[in-house]
Amino acid sequence: MTNPATNEQHEQYDVFPVGHICRENDRTLLNILPAYAPALKELEGFGHVQVLWWFDQFDDGPYRQITRTEHAPYEAPVLGVFACRSPVRPNPLGLTTAPILHIDHNAGVVEVGNIDAFDGTPILDLKAYVPSCDRVENVRVPDWASHWPEWLPEQGLGLEEG
């Protein structure tokens, strides 16, 4: 396949959803497809889950060619998309850590506190949050982000905050 940004040939990978995000009243649900519901086994032992999802509303050729963002939803200098959480990027992947509130194994549903993705967003994968693998003790951030909270909000990162 030809990369539209570089016109170079590159490998292509098949990625498909394992579920979708559902916003229902004040609840945020990860609806996992029946074929993948068995993969939820023992997830309830963890307090948080990392949700890898697809920015499907930004999966368009022009969006995927943008490498810098000048209109961040927060005060920052012009940033390369790899230095921010913009949905506009070469591969529109999102990653959010969310608190697990409840799991219904029979229905294949994980209720999370919040997530910064829209209703209907495709979920690509779930990974249990494991502090020894996912937490960093000494972190460096640029000055423009130094006033941000040190920890994830208790209910998770919502659309209004991201």
Side-chain angles (χ1 to χ4, degrees), residues 4-5 9 15 34-36 49 66 72 85 99 103 119 128 141 146-147 157:
Q9 289 292 108
V15 177
Y36 302 106
V49 63
I66 296 172
R85 295 178 60 95
I103 298 177
D119 186 53
V141 297
S146 64
H147 66 282
L157 185 63

Side-chain angles (χ1 to χ4, degrees), residues 18-19 30-34 36-38 40 103-110:
V18 298
L30 310 179
N31 289 334
I32 304 304
L33 295 171
Y36 302 106
L40 297 173
I103 298 177
D104 181 338
H105 288 275
N106 293 329
V109 175
V110 179

